[in-house]
Amino acid sequence: MLLRTKRVFRDASTPFVEEYMAIIRGYFGVIATYYLIMSATHFAALDNDGLWRLLPWSFAATFASGAAYFWLRRLRNIVQMEAVATAVSLLMIMNVIIAIEIEYNDIKFVYYIMMVMIFAFACVTIRQGVLSIACAMTALFWQVSNLD
């Protein structure tokens, strides 16, 4: 039984992983759409300095999540899927860090809590979810500790 469990998490062609892939791909599709819209709104909402600090992270998150949406069709290794999901999660975290640094507002810290819930729901594996959640909470505590 234990050997079968390990096989399930290594081989992405099992029925469980293929069914769950729709959730993960939908997650990346929503993220790509969100960041595409947000990247466009940054042009109108931010001044020059803020725009050029946030825009690269927004474009990177848009590209990475959009690419992940399409790559997940071909990825058949859980470790590769974890790496892609973790990279997109880190880009989302960096985007929030920069957004709070550009224009501070207490309410923006809610983004971290939202990311934690999203990472818990749409993780490839528990290990990837815990890593993404730990990174988000570390970023939250880092930003709170650096408040003036």
Side-chain angles (χ1 to χ4, degrees):
M1 185 68 163
L2 182 59
L3 294 174
R4 179 163 168 68
T5 304
K6 286 184 177 183
R7 187 186 149 279
V8 166
F9 287 108
R10 282 190 199 139
D11 183 10
S13 64
T14 61
F16 172 75
V17 175
E18 287 181 2
E19 289 173 9
Y20 191 64
M21 191 69 67
I23 295 171
I24 301 298
R25 287 189 68 228
Y27 164 68
F28 286 131
V30 168
I31 291 172
T33 304
Y34 170 78
Y35 278 111
L36 185 64
I37 293 168
M38 289 307 295
S39 296
T41 61
H42 291 325
F43 284 108
L46 296 173
D47 61 356
N48 253 354
D49 182 45
L51 176 67
W52 296 115
R53 287 174 61 198
L54 185 59
L55 204 57
W57 293 105
S58 290
F59 281 143
T62 302
F63 173 75
S65 54
Y69 176 82
F70 292 104
W71 285 338
L72 284 178
R73 288 183 182 169
R74 292 181 292 214
L75 291 181
R76 291 293 174 232
N77 184 332
I78 292 294
V79 175
Q80 291 173 341
M81 292 187 325
E82 286 178 332
V84 169
T86 302
V88 171
S89 298
L90 291 175
L91 286 170
M92 290 173 61
I93 293 168
M94 284 304 300
N95 198 325
V96 170
I97 289 172
I98 299 296
I100 291 174
E101 291 292 322
I102 290 172
E103 187 179 341
Y104 177 78
N105 188 345
D106 288 341
I107 198 71
K108 289 183 180 181
F109 285 109
V110 170
Y111 290 146
Y112 286 110
I113 305 307
M114 290 170 41
M115 281 191 298
V116 165
M117 290 187 295
I118 291 167
F119 294 163
F121 172 70
C123 59
V124 175
T125 62
I126 290 294
R127 130 179 99 189
Q128 184 270 321
V130 168
L131 176 64
S132 295
I133 290 168
C135 290
M137 295 310 294
T138 301
L140 169 64
F141 290 122
W142 175 76
Q143 278 200 304
V144 167
S145 68
N146 288 333
L147 291 177
D148 293 331

